[in-house]
Amino acid sequence: MTCSALADLWSRFLDIVFGERYVEMLEEVTSVSLSSIRRTATIWESRSGDFLAPHVDKPDKALTQIFYLTERWTESGGGRLLIQSTPYSGQAVCKLAPTAGASAVLVRPNSSWHAVEESFTDIPRRSLNVTFWSTG
């Protein structure tokens, strides 16, 4: 794939996630009003040994959709998104491997605990996060 073709794909993707229809679909699925608030797109990469301890998102985050971009990820590589019922480690009610094509939507109430388990592979864990901010 050429740089130009890749740039075109990213441009189309960003047109979608910053478009009206995407917002309407997220509002329908989550019942969160998003149409008039600011959003950002960020790319994240983590490596072997990286993790995120159990937390809830910052108060100014209304919603985040994570799009995983990592090809060739295996379950033994760790690095899964853990949806938790409590802030305590080991309380995951759902585990999502960061494989290309997987996605998660996190709505931010005060009880939306989540974490990322430690990665145990040399394959970089990559994601693109689209975040809707309730302030700013």
Side-chain angles (χ1 to χ4, degrees), residues 54 82-94 111-115:
L82 307 175
I83 305 300
Q84 302 191 184
S85 58
T86 71
Y88 306 106
S89 295
Q91 300 294 315
V93 295
C94 181
S111 60
S112 182
W113 290 96
H114 55 284

Side-chain angles (χ1 to χ4, degrees), residues 22-39:
Y22 172 74
V23 173
E24 290 169 357
M25 289 188 319
L26 278 178
E27 287 178 329
E28 185 176 317
V29 169
T30 65
S31 299
V32 176
S33 180
L34 303 168
S35 59
S36 63
I37 62 175
R38 180 176 69 94
R39 74 194 96 150

Side-chain angles (χ1 to χ4, degrees), residues 61-75:
K61 281 187 177 182
L63 179 145
T64 299
Q65 182 165 13
I66 306 166
F67 297 92
Y68 289 106
L69 308 173
T70 306
E71 295 182 5
R72 303 184 335 260
W73 195 269
T74 62
E75 287 291 321

Side-chain angles (χ1 to χ4, degrees), residues 46-53 73-82 98 115-121 125:
S46 59
R47 302 221 171 230
S48 183
D50 290 346
F51 68 95
L52 284 174
W73 195 269
T74 62
E75 287 291 321
S76 63
R80 294 177 296 183
L81 172 66
L82 307 175
V116 175
E117 67 184 358
E118 184 176 354
S119 295
F120 301 106
T121 179
R125 180 187 184 278

